[in-house]
Amino acid sequence: MAKNILYEAGSESIKGQAAVARVVMNRVREGFAKTPCAVIYQATQTDSGKVCQFSWVCENKNEPNTKSLRYLIARQIAYDVMVNDKYDDVVPD
């Protein structure tokens, strides 16, 4: 989840980053997939190529620097959303 937040909204505000995490959790709840990772890496093969839920997945991004401040913030937001159900005002259920 932290990698998804970083790649999708790492330069956004805390609320913008939290919105990415809330969307993933909403998709789990709505049955897109059973886990956050399954939602994030969900892709469909079409005649024109692979279509991913999150663009960075199809772009085969490298592993992020897990010691960077941006990653640490994304990791905290991921924890706050997944464990503490925070930021529910950003993207309501």
Side-chain angles (χ1 to χ4, degrees):
M1 178 76 84
K3 188 178 354 179
N4 192 49
I5 293 167
L6 179 69
Y7 285 141
E8 286 293 311
S11 62
E12 300 294 326
S13 67
I14 297 296
K15 286 192 173 194
Q17 292 180 56
V20 170
R22 295 300 304 187
V23 165
V24 170
M25 297 309 291
N26 285 350
R27 288 180 180 179
V28 170
R29 193 182 58 262
E30 294 296 321
F32 280 67
K34 291 184 180 188
T35 67
C37 284
V39 165
I40 292 165
Y41 289 98
Q42 194 171 46
T44 304
Q45 192 64 41
T46 67
D47 291 339
S48 57
K50 187 175 176 183
V51 178
C52 298
Q53 294 289 318
F54 296 96
S55 60
W56 69 267
V57 173
C58 281
E59 295 168 359
N60 295 315
K61 294 269 188 180
N62 293 327
E63 288 298 310
N65 175 357
T66 58
K67 295 181 181 181
S68 73
L69 179 59
R70 283 179 41 186
Y71 181 83
L72 296 173
I73 291 168
R75 187 175 71 183
Q76 183 62 53
I77 293 167
Y79 181 86
D80 287 343
V81 169
M82 293 172 64
V83 175
N84 298 319
D85 198 29
K86 285 190 174 181
Y87 303 107
D88 60 341
D89 60 320
V90 176
V91 177
D93 295 340

